């Protein structure tokens, strides 16, 4: 508790200097916990130290985790010149490039973000319904009816197809196949844990200058630049509604359009930020539904009725709450800053923990239970439902991802009845930055029409 002074009322706790407490583990133990058991580690620290604790991560630095919604609000509404998200994402630099909106900080971040926001506005999403439904339905047509299917790779195929068509605007033919292959290769490179080692040892700046690394990216870059240049000259550019075509026509306050290099970096960013995340979120929804027959039946009834989708929306909100794809976001402090009543030193990263916020029993009674109904009575709170982060860094593709989840789940539930293959419910397993279903979301998707 703070100490009352003449000019500070007793009710307002005094600012404490220094870092909040945290575990005093060896480097080996912290590394093991962080890579292999991040969520149990967060639970452990929260139970022991409360809503604010410090973990020193080898190579990553000092992270202060926060999970009180009031403190999360402080972080998300704080000065983005001081609370820097771009600096915290620097590990992605070699693949995304220096113009990536994920890696920029103010003022460049805001000007790039402003260029990118209009194509992702919620109202525009209807334009992608058909592309999304087609990608899902072509995929579902290929599935067996009584053999177990691992949904996560299947959903990765769907979300890649959606990005190729809705974001890159590539539709049919050889170019689509080539681009699909090359982009898949880039995604595999990023999700390969071996990639983290040279990045950490050399640092992202040096890694991207290495010849072998540049050679690795050359073929995909060539295709992406070719696509940009072909689209720039397309006769129907102004009538197209794919995101690349919209970005090509966007200009900043000075009337300046994006350069090819900027467009390339943003396309790679949208691919990396939007592909695996959305596939994982849909897989979790399917895993949870397959193990909750009453909730599945209610959803099937709504879909069959052609209902407006209130329950479907609640299923999606509850999935992203209970199984957040990303467990935390980061803001690196550029100067000493008061957060949660503590003066934190420059250089540390503050980490609002999506996972811990979503499990607060004071906000979500019975937080471990899958209860979509809770979102029928209570709309998600800005600082208590944060699967997409928040503030000026909130996920640009949030509306896109939720819309895609709706369209794919609708297609799937209308045609297939999901049931688990047995065993225990799957648990979240770390895969680079996402938390995926431990068994790949394996289930039977029996036919509903025969
Ligand atoms: C369920 C799927 C998704 C989840 C859970 C998710 C989650 C997130 C999170 C947690 C952040 C960081 C926010 C912060 O620091 O406060 C983020 C940023 C971002 N996401 Fe997503 N995302 C998803 C899908 C997408 C999609 C589909 C796209 C685009 C096609 C996308 C594009 C981006 C971009 C560009 C940023 C950087 C925004 C900025 O720094 O200004 N994401 N996302």
């Amino acid at each position: 508790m703070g100490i009352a002074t003449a000019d500070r009322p007793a009710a307002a706790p005094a600012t404490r200097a220094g870092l909040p407490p945290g575990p005093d583990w060896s480097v080996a133990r912290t590394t093991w916990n962080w890579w292999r058991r991040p969520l149990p580690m967060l639970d452990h620290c929260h139970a022991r130290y409360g809503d604010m604790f410090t973990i020193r991560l080898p190579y990553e630095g000092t992270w202060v985790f926060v999970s009180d919604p009031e403190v999360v609000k402080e972080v998300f509404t704080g000065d983005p010149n001081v609370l820097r998200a771009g600096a915290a994402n620097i590990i992605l630099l070699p693949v995304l490039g220096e113009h990536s909106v994920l890696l920029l900080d103010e003022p460049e971040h805001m000007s790039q973000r402003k260029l990118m926001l209009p194509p992702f506005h919620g109202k525009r999403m209807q334009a992608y319904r058909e592309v999304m439904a087609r990608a899902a339905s072509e995929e579902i047509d290929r599935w067996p009816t009584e053999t177990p299917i691992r949904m996560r790779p299947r959903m990765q195929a769907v979300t890649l197809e959606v990005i190729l068509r809705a974001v890159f605007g590539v539709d049919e033919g050889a170019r689509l196949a080539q681009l699909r292959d090359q982009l898949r290769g880039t995604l595999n490179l990023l999700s390969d844990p071996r990639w983290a080692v040279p990045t950490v040892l050399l640092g992202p700046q040096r890694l991207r200058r290495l010849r072998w690394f540049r050679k690795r990216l050359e073929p995909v870059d060539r295709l992406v630049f070719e696509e940009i240049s072909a689209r720039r000259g397309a006769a129907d550019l102004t009538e197209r509604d794919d995101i690349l075509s919209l970005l090509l026509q966007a200009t900043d306050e000075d009337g300046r359009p994006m350069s090819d290099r900027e467009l390339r970096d943003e396309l790679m960013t949208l691919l990396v930020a939007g592909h695996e995340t959305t596939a994982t979120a849909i897989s979790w929804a399917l895993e949870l539904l397959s193990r909750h027959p009453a909730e599945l039946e209610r959803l099937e009834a709504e879909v069959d009725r052609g209902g407006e989708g209130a329950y479907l929306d609640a299923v999606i909100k509850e999935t992203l709450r209970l199984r957040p794809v990303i467990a935390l976001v980061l803001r690196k402090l550029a100067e000493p800053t008061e957060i949660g009543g503590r003066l934190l030193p420059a250089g540390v990263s503050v980490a609002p923990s999506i996972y811990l916020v979503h499990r607060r029993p004071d906000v979500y009674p019975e937080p471990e239970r899958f209860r979509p109904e809770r979102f029928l009575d209570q709309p998600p709170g800005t600082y208590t439902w944060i699967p997409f982060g928040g503030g000026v860094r909130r996920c640009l593709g949030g509306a896109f991802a939720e819309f895609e989840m709706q369209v794919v789940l609708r297609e799937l539930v209308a045609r297939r009845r999901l049931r688990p293959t047995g065993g225990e419910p799957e648990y979240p397993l770390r895969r680079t930055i996402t938390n995926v279903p431990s068994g790949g979301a394996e289930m039977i998707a029996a036919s509903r029409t025969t």
Side-chain angles (χ1 to χ4, degrees), residues 90-94 194-205 207 213:
I90 193 74
I91 191 150
L92 293 169
L93 175 79
R194 282 170 303 178
W195 130 275
V197 178
T199 313
V200 165
L201 292 179
L202 296 169
Q205 297 282 7
L207 177 69
F213 186 80

Side-chain angles (χ1 to χ4, degrees), residues 22 62 77 94 118 123 144 163 173 214 228 266 269 362 391 396 432 435:
T62 300
T77 55
K123 292 208 177 103
I163 289 191
R214 290 210 315 272
I228 294 171
E266 300 311 359
T269 301
D362 55 343
L396 262 173
T432 327
N435 292 293

Side-chain angles (χ1 to χ4, degrees), residues 276-316:
E276 170 143 350
T277 45
T278 313
T280 302
I282 304 173
S283 311
W284 274 124
L286 298 175
E287 203 277 337
L288 289 163
L289 285 167
S290 74
R291 291 177 191 275
H292 292 83
E295 284 72 11
L296 177 58
E297 229 170 83
R298 185 165 174 185
L299 181 60
E300 285 174 355
E302 182 183 83
V303 169
D304 293 350
R305 268 200 322 273
E308 94 292 4
Y311 193 69
L312 173 59
D313 186 51
V315 164
I316 290 167

Side-chain angles (χ1 to χ4, degrees), residues 159-173:
T159 58
L160 181 58
E161 221 51 39
V162 168
I163 289 191
L164 280 165
R165 291 165 199 253
V167 176
F168 286 68
V170 185
D171 213 349
E172 301 295 339

Side-chain angles (χ1 to χ4, degrees), residues 233-431:
D236 62 349
L237 178 65
T238 52
E239 285 126 57
R240 299 180 62 109
D241 50 25
D242 58 86
I243 285 172
L244 170 57
S245 297
L246 297 172
L247 291 179
L248 270 163
Q249 298 169 75
T251 52
D252 66 13
E253 285 106 349
D254 305 324
R256 191 190 66 96
M258 277 193 215
S259 67
D260 283 8
R261 188 80 225 176
E262 284 174 301
L263 285 161
R264 177 265 172 217
D265 289 358
E266 300 311 359
L267 285 175
M268 295 308 271
T269 301
L270 297 174
L271 170 75
V272 168
H275 165 257
E276 170 143 350
T277 45
T278 313
T280 302
I282 304 173
S283 311
W284 274 124
L286 298 175
E287 203 277 337
L288 289 163
L289 285 167
S290 74
R291 291 177 191 275
H292 292 83
E295 284 72 11
L296 177 58
E297 229 170 83
R298 185 165 174 185
L299 181 60
E300 285 174 355
E302 182 183 83
V303 169
D304 293 350
R305 268 200 322 273
E308 94 292 4
Y311 193 69
L312 173 59
D313 186 51
V315 164
I316 290 167
K317 297 277 188 302
E318 178 68 343
T319 300
L320 291 168
R321 179 197 71 80
L322 183 59
R323 296 283 182 256
V325 173
I326 295 177
L328 59 106
V329 294
L330 288 171
R331 304 289 185 265
K332 194 166 183 167
L333 298 183
E335 56 187 59
T337 310
E338 188 182 324
I339 305 276
R342 274 186 182 272
L343 187 62
L344 303 177
V348 309
S349 293
V350 184
S353 168
I354 299 170
Y355 172 76
L356 291 176
V357 171
H358 286 185
R359 255 144 222 268
R360 293 183 69 91
D362 55 343
V363 183
Y364 300 107
E366 298 185 278
E368 297 291 335
R369 272 191 62 198
F370 178 66
R371 280 207 320 115
E373 298 72 31
R374 63 175 101 235
F375 287 106
L376 292 176
D377 321 328
Q378 168 197 346
T382 312
Y383 304 106
T384 51
W385 187 79
I386 52 168
F388 298 112
V392 295
R393 304 305 296 230
R394 189 179 192 273
C395 175
L396 262 173
F400 188 97
E402 282 192 73
F403 189 73
E404 183 171 353
M405 290 180 77
Q406 281 173 21
V407 174
V408 174
L409 287 173
R410 233 186 242 282
E411 286 292 318
L412 219 155
V413 162
R415 293 161 59 182
R416 299 297 185 109
R417 173 150 300 137
L418 308 171
R419 63 171 203 271
T421 44
E424 291 291 303
E426 297 186 24
Y427 55 89
L429 197 67
R430 177 180 174 148
R431 192 167 186 270

